[in-house]
Amino acid sequence: MSARHDNVKPLKSDGQVRLVLDQKGLDAARRSLDDGAVTPSYGPWREDIIKLLNDALATEIVCMLRYKRHYYTAKGLSSPAIAEEFLVHAQEETAHSEQLAERIVQLGGEPDFSPSNLLDRSHADYDESADLQAMIRSNLIAERVAIEAYSQMIALIGDKDSTTRRVLEAILSQEQEHADELSDWLTP
Ligand SMILES: [Fe+2]
Ligand SMILES: [Fe+2]
């Protein structure tokens, strides 16, 4: 894994800038069949990216659990519509966790579903509020934390792994929708 994506830059020849591929990277991709879809362009970043994705996976699982808790305990409260929204978010956080786990495996890593240190690895918190507005508030805080974490991950990854970046961008836009929806329910 010596070739790096960073080496793929427009090449200057005869005073002209040319867009050409790095042949060494292509040759290395041909050689290491054991790495599956992981090609040398991931270079030294693969392990860091897997760690970032595993922390995001822990966050999604905690968010799913928090929304489930809120869905079941908010049921008897004033707004069934808000409880339904919590359920939809729980399902979408579950889908996010599956996308992240799938990408971790594609990168040759192991998705960490261990419950033992889930909260330590998660960026967002669990919450057992009984009051509906307190639930909405804690979910909004968690969504804002998730938005910040995904934005930072996307900036860090940049062009080092475009597939992972696209996965994260799609998740980020859904977290922004979640935050928007929660803001609408929040009474000032
Ligand atoms: Fe999510
Ligand atoms: Fe979310």
Side-chain angles (χ1 to χ4, degrees):
M1 294 228 174
S2 57
R4 306 225 330 239
H5 204 54
D6 301 356
N7 293 340
V8 185
K9 293 190 181 107
L11 193 80
K12 265 193 169 176
S13 75
D14 303 337
Q16 271 201 318
V17 178
R18 308 298 305 270
L19 299 182
V20 294
L21 299 185
D22 172 20
Q23 186 59 42
K24 270 188 269 176
L26 298 183
D27 292 342
R30 196 170 281 117
R31 282 194 299 271
S32 340
L33 289 186
D34 290 347
D35 294 337
V38 182
T39 65
S41 65
Y42 293 105
W45 310 115
R46 195 182 65 96
E47 281 179 22
D48 286 354
I49 292 171
I50 290 169
K51 165 79 165 70
L52 290 170
L53 291 175
N54 259 321
D55 290 348
L57 173 60
T59 306
E60 293 292 351
I61 296 169
V62 168
C63 288
M64 178 274 286
L65 293 170
R66 192 189 59 253
Y67 276 124
K68 282 273 177 129
R69 156 82 188 197
H70 288 176
Y71 166 66
Y72 285 105
T73 54
K75 265 189 149 177
L77 298 177
S78 53
S79 180
I82 297 179
E84 286 304 318
E85 193 74 54
F86 291 160
L87 180 62
V88 170
H89 286 200
Q91 289 160 347
E92 288 172 345
E93 310 305 8
T94 304
H96 296 166
S97 69
E98 282 158 7
Q99 288 169 269
L100 294 168
E102 196 176 345
R103 185 62 193 144
I104 289 166
V105 171
Q106 283 174 354
L107 287 169
E110 292 182 10
D112 190 348
F113 282 95
S114 169
S116 64
N117 56 356
L118 204 51
L119 269 178
D120 295 336
R121 295 185 289 119
S122 170
H123 302 300
D125 296 326
Y126 186 68
D127 177 77
E128 296 181 335
S129 298
D131 171 72
L132 196 59
Q133 278 297 315
M135 290 181 190
I136 295 169
R137 191 172 296 275
S138 83
N139 287 323
L140 182 55
I141 291 169
E143 294 291 353
R144 287 172 55 84
V145 169
I147 289 166
E148 176 63 20
Y150 282 120
S151 301
Q152 287 191 19
M153 285 171 72
I154 289 163
L156 281 172
I157 290 170
D159 66 352
K160 294 176 180 66
D161 176 353
S162 57
T163 307
T164 296
R165 197 189 62 230
R166 280 197 301 275
V167 169
L168 298 177
E169 283 168 346
I171 295 176
L172 172 62
S173 73
Q174 208 153 35
E175 308 301 11
Q176 284 164 336
E177 282 171 28
H178 290 173
D180 265 352
E181 287 157 3
L182 292 163
S183 303
D184 292 344
W185 295 113
L186 196 67
T187 53

